[in-house]
Amino acid sequence: MKLSIIGSGYVGTTVAACFAKLGHSVTNIDIDEEIVKQINSGTAPIHEPGLDDLVAEYGGNQLRATTVYSAIQDTDTTFLALPTPSREDGSIDTSIIEAGARSLGETLGTKDDYHLVVVKSTVIPGTTEDVLASIIEETSGKTRGKHFDIAMNPEFLREGSAVKDFLNPDKVVFGAETKRANEQLTEIFDPLVAKSNPAVVETGIREAEMIKYANNTFLATKVSLVNELGNICKEYEVDAYEVMNAIGLDERIGERFLRSGVGWGGSCFPKDTAALVSAARDKGYEPSLVEAAIEVNDKQPKRLLELLESHIALPDKRIAILGLAFKPGTDDIRNSRSIPIIEGLQNKGAQIVAYDPVAAENMREQFPNIEYADTALMALRGADGALVVTDWDEFSALDDEFEQMRNPVVVDGRRIITHNDNITYDGLTW
Ligand SMILES: NC(=O)c1ccc[n+]([C@@H]2O[C@H](COP(=O)([O-])OP(=O)(O)OC[C@H]3O[C@@H](n4cnc5c(N)ncnc54)[C@H](O)[C@@H]3O)[C@@H](O)[C@H]2O)c1
Ligand SMILES: O=c1ccn([C@@H]2O[C@H](COP(=O)(O)OP(=O)(O)O[C@H]3O[C@H](CO)[C@@H](O)[C@H](O)[C@H]3O)[C@@H](O)[C@H]2O)c(=O)[nH]1
């Protein structure tokens, strides 16, 4: 089928490249000319394992990119994969996706045949129907349910494994209000369903919107609960990882997302939990458990700094930060736990030398005045303390490199460093 995808970020580019691999002809629409150029020349605009190969194979032929919205007219279905960031008060800011819907509606106004619009972005229940569909009707002059349909298809891929996740999902969710929309979505996803056999959830639009928030809030709260349990375990000198491995054997709990540490970051958990809290309050409901999950998460980076301070006084000390990305496998630093850690160290008067295999350039834009090292060893050399913030594999292989520190105090926020007699090791968990 001929698909267009508005927004070529982490989701839009990954989904587009994967749909091309599945045999569809895909056009990415983005306002960023650099991204458009990169895709057309076969280069992935973001760091994501496996994406380079797909964009190299399909970019410029079965996968094209443009800044021109009218390219949508030559497609059957448009996915909206635009950002839905947090406002200052945590509520969802729909201004970008509204602008995208407006441009989409304007171009659909002169399209002759039926079109399916699919919201891929994460949006609060009611946004697809009450906000986006209304904008498209208004700007196109067309009637929803007749000339076009709108559907909601939330995305569950994780950064760092986005291509693999998209091609091998546990489930695909189709939120649709007409048979025709549901059938068209089914046809688009047919090659994926045939290949990886996920559960197919056919549901209403509002339910699809809420499934995404419920999914993320459940996982974020699970990790916060694990962090709280890990903190209590530490007080009692109990190995939290052994405890979690055991409770994970209970199928009702499950073995994944049980790693306690410095907390969750990224472009989704923080913003989606905040948006759900805000949306609940809008309806007069106080979501105290979700608020507590956020509070536990906010405290973990502070706990890491307190642990470091229990070993050394920070003013004027050289502190190595290992890991800037919010998780391994990505260059994304949005809401990374490394950000409050850098700020906390700066407030205490420490000198920072940071290392990350791929995310340093993104962090440099936000913190141009800290030192960035080219390797973990270079960051550690001469440092008075080291904080492990991201669980990159290469950090778990570090060993006598720590001996190059002036004072080998290592505080592990991810439980990945092997203890040895030559370092003073401490961690968030025992
Ligand atoms: N990042 C993830 O892992 C992930 C996973 C699942 C769902 N989501 C959701 O998907 C949505 C997109 O997230 P993302 O991380 O891909 O965003 P992103 O910030 O990585 O990418 C958004 C892209 O949209 C482009 N853009 C902005 N305004 C535009 C416009 N008017 N027209 C065309 N392009 C425009 C930007 O240039 C950018 O390339 C969000 O709602 C997010 O919550 C994200
Ligand atoms: O046991 C765990 C698992 C995760 N994390 C942290 O949780 C955050 C999020 O990790 P992960 O969920 O793997 O990455 P994301 O790319 O943010 O993916 C989440 O957010 C996406 C955007 O909505 C969803 O699509 C995914 O399903 C959902 O997992 C990261 O900071 C991790 O370090 C932990 O601390 N302990």
Side-chain angles (χ1 to χ4, degrees):
M1 290 187 85
K2 288 181 165 183
L3 311 178
S4 43
I5 300 184
I6 304 180
S8 304
Y10 284 88
V11 170
T13 310
T14 305
V15 171
C18 290
F19 272 143
K21 180 183 167 64
L22 291 167
H24 297 302
S25 165
V26 191
T27 305
N28 263 136
I29 318 286
D30 205 286
I31 49 172
D32 186 322
E33 284 179 11
E34 188 52 34
I35 289 178
V36 166
K37 237 187 263 163
Q38 281 178 298
I39 293 174
N40 287 330
S41 65
T43 313
I46 49 161
H47 174 88
E48 197 55 63
L51 191 60
D52 275 336
D53 290 347
L54 289 182
V55 179
E57 187 169 352
Y58 301 107
N61 47 78
Q62 217 171 306
L63 168 65
R64 283 167 304 271
T66 176
T67 55
V68 181
Y69 265 77
S70 57
I72 287 167
Q73 297 205 357
D74 190 35
T75 67
D76 318 297
T77 304
T78 302
F79 287 81
L80 284 160
L82 291 168
T84 46
S86 297
R87 289 205 196 95
E88 198 105 309
D89 64 358
S91 63
I92 174 183
D93 177 353
T94 52
S95 58
I96 300 174
I97 195 163
E98 285 185 42
R102 213 165 288 124
S103 305
L104 169 63
E106 280 159 12
T107 200
L108 287 184
T110 50
K111 187 185 177 201
D112 291 334
D113 48 359
Y114 171 84
H115 201 82
L116 176 63
V117 177
V118 185
V119 176
K120 227 309 152 240
S121 301
T122 303
V123 291
I124 288 293
T127 310
T128 298
E129 290 171 285
D130 304 341
V131 181
L132 302 174
S134 304
I135 289 174
I136 295 167
E137 277 198 307
E138 207 177 286
T139 45
S140 66
K142 305 249 169 167
T143 307
R144 165 177 159 203
K146 187 177 169 200
H147 304 109
F148 79 95
D149 273 313
I150 194 153
M152 164 64 201
N153 166 234
E155 181 50 56
F156 301 96
L157 62 78
R158 291 162 303 165
E159 291 182 25
S161 51
V163 170
K164 200 168 127 259
D165 287 351
F166 183 81
L167 292 172
N168 304 281
D170 302 321
K171 59 181 177 289
V172 288
V173 176
F174 302 155
E177 58 184 352
T178 68
K179 196 163 168 265
R180 186 171 189 181
N182 192 56
E183 280 172 1
Q184 194 148 315
L185 269 172
T186 304
E187 200 181 329
I188 294 165
F189 280 86
D190 253 355
L192 176 61
V193 172
K195 197 179 119 322
S196 63
N197 197 26
V200 178
V201 179
E202 295 180 354
T203 186
I205 291 177
R206 283 168 187 262
E207 285 73 18
E209 291 168 320
M210 191 51 116
I211 286 167
K212 177 66 196 174
Y213 281 100
N215 216 96
N216 271 0
T217 303
F218 197 100
L219 290 171
T221 306
K222 183 177 183 182
V223 175
S224 277
L225 176 57
V226 162
N227 282 336
E228 182 121 292
L229 291 169
N231 296 342
I232 299 170
C233 284
K234 183 158 170 100
E235 295 302 321
Y236 280 86
E237 301 184 6
V238 166
D239 186 333
Y241 275 62
E242 287 202 9
V243 172
M244 294 313 147
N245 286 342
I247 69 169
L249 297 172
D250 186 326
E251 280 182 9
R252 293 168 302 174
I253 294 174
E255 64 189 15
R256 296 170 73 190
F257 275 66
L258 291 180
R259 293 183 59 83
S260 56
V262 74
W264 33 269
S267 67
C268 294
F269 284 1
K271 111 176 146 59
D272 294 346
T273 48
L276 194 63
V277 165
S278 168
R281 283 192 187 141
D282 277 352
K283 299 288 183 191
Y285 181 80
E286 198 59 27
S288 44
L289 182 57
V290 187
E291 288 174 276
I294 296 170
E295 195 185 323
V296 169
N297 196 52
D298 289 343
K299 281 186 187 157
Q300 290 306 92
K302 293 181 191 135
R303 286 179 64 84
L304 191 78
L305 290 177
E306 280 163 16
L307 270 185
L308 181 63
E309 276 190 294
S310 70
H311 294 279
I312 49 171
L314 290 175
D316 299 323
K317 294 290 182 342
R318 183 172 170 83
I319 305 300
I321 298 182
L322 299 182
L324 297 169
F326 83 94
K327 62 178 284 194
T330 180
D331 60 354
D332 196 348
I333 57 155
R334 290 179 284 185
N335 267 307
S336 173
R337 300 298 77 196
S338 58
I339 294 170
I341 286 167
I342 292 172
E343 288 166 347
L345 286 172
Q346 284 181 327
N347 290 339
K348 302 270 180 186
Q351 289 169 23
I352 300 167
V353 50
Y355 167 71
D356 188 283
V358 295
E361 285 319 305
N362 285 339
M363 195 58 91
R364 200 191 292 275
E365 284 174 24
Q366 195 161 337
F367 292 99
N369 297 326
I370 65 171
E371 192 180 327
Y372 294 90
D374 289 339
T375 63
L377 178 62
M378 285 162 89
L380 291 172
R381 199 169 278 150
D384 298 293
L387 294 174
V388 181
V389 180
T390 313
D391 37 346
W392 285 102
D393 281 346
E394 68 168 86
F395 299 155
S396 45
L398 292 172
D399 187 14
D400 48 15
E401 287 85 349
F402 291 116
E403 289 163 30
Q404 302 269 329
M405 295 172 69
R406 203 154 69 107
N407 180 26
V409 172
V410 181
V411 181
D412 190 352
R414 295 289 179 186
R415 212 350 159 95
I416 53 168
I417 301 301
T418 314
H419 306 204
N420 83 40
D421 291 342
N422 299 321
I423 61 174
T424 303
Y425 177 91
D426 205 343
L428 279 174
T429 51
W430 184 253

